[in-house]
Amino acid sequence: MNLKELYQEIILEHGKNPRNLRKTDNFTRDAKGNNPLCGDNVHIYLKLNNNNKVEDISFEGSGCAITMASASIMTDLVRGKEEKEVKEIVTDFLNMIKEKDELSTQLLNEDEKTKLMCLSGVKQYPMRVKCATLSWHTLTSAMNNSQEIASTED
Ligand code: ZN
């Protein structure tokens, strides 16, 4: 199995069995996002504890395999991180999807980085980039306590 096949395998697996697809009890922040071009919708629920750490994060929504896999992987990776660490990971991921070849954050281990790199295959497809980044933009809205619906079409 080559790297591309491994990446596809991981995306399909997360797309079929998304992690954290539920609503967090007593969430402290949330935000909705949508990608009208593909029909993807996500609602991110975030629970920060008193130390500004992510105690729980989950999502509800529906969409294509890329959107579901991206939200699934994202929610797994930011749990337990501090708010400022989450922001660093989001920025690093968005930079990687848009222009850079690799992730540079020290906050994730190699295994976690591999999961995010699975989504790098969308780079050549601008429509798919919107699917891959939807939940990340929505997480940013939730952290900023924004009441606006995050859209890929701003
Ligand atoms: Zn999509």
Side-chain angles (χ1 to χ4, degrees):
M1 189 184 284
N2 65 30
L3 194 61
K4 201 178 161 193
E5 286 167 342
L6 172 70
Y7 283 178
Q8 281 175 352
E9 188 98 334
I10 294 175
I11 287 180
L12 284 176
E13 203 278 314
H14 274 269
K16 266 188 217 153
N17 304 299
R19 318 294 194 272
N20 313 305
L21 183 62
R22 57 184 164 76
K23 185 175 178 179
T24 295
D25 290 330
N26 305 317
F27 61 87
T28 54
R29 301 187 196 174
D30 72 311
K32 289 180 184 173
N34 78 77
N35 172 18
L37 293 179
C38 183
D40 307 312
N41 291 288
V42 294
H43 191 163
I44 304 276
Y45 301 98
L46 193 60
K47 186 177 182 185
L48 296 174
N49 67 17
N50 294 335
N51 301 319
N52 264 337
K53 273 193 179 171
V54 178
E55 192 175 307
D56 193 25
I57 177 169
S58 65
F59 75 105
E60 290 181 322
S62 61
C64 64
I66 301 280
T67 288
M68 299 306 273
S70 185
S72 173
I73 293 168
M74 179 190 80
T75 49
D76 256 358
L77 295 192
V78 303
R79 176 171 293 108
K81 300 281 191 292
E82 281 177 39
E83 189 177 9
K84 65 175 192 305
E85 295 177 325
V86 174
K87 286 182 176 167
E88 179 182 319
I89 293 168
V90 171
T91 302
D92 198 35
F93 174 77
L94 293 176
N95 284 339
M96 183 277 286
I97 286 289
K98 283 176 201 152
E99 57 207 22
K100 291 200 292 181
D101 291 332
E102 286 172 39
L103 296 160
S104 56
T105 182
Q106 304 291 313
L107 297 168
L108 299 173
N109 63 37
E110 287 309 311
D111 191 45
E112 292 170 327
K113 285 184 180 176
T114 299
K115 285 186 187 147
L116 285 186
M117 289 305 290
C118 293
L119 295 158
S120 64
V122 304
K123 281 183 186 193
Q124 309 93 294
Y125 312 101
M127 297 285 282
R128 304 271 90 178
V129 167
K130 293 172 194 285
C131 303
T133 58
L134 174 63
S135 57
W136 298 78
H137 290 304
T138 309
L139 173 57
T140 299
S141 294
M143 285 192 297
N144 294 338
N145 246 339
S146 169
Q147 300 303 310
E148 277 178 43
I149 294 177
S151 175
T152 54
E153 301 310 303
D154 287 337

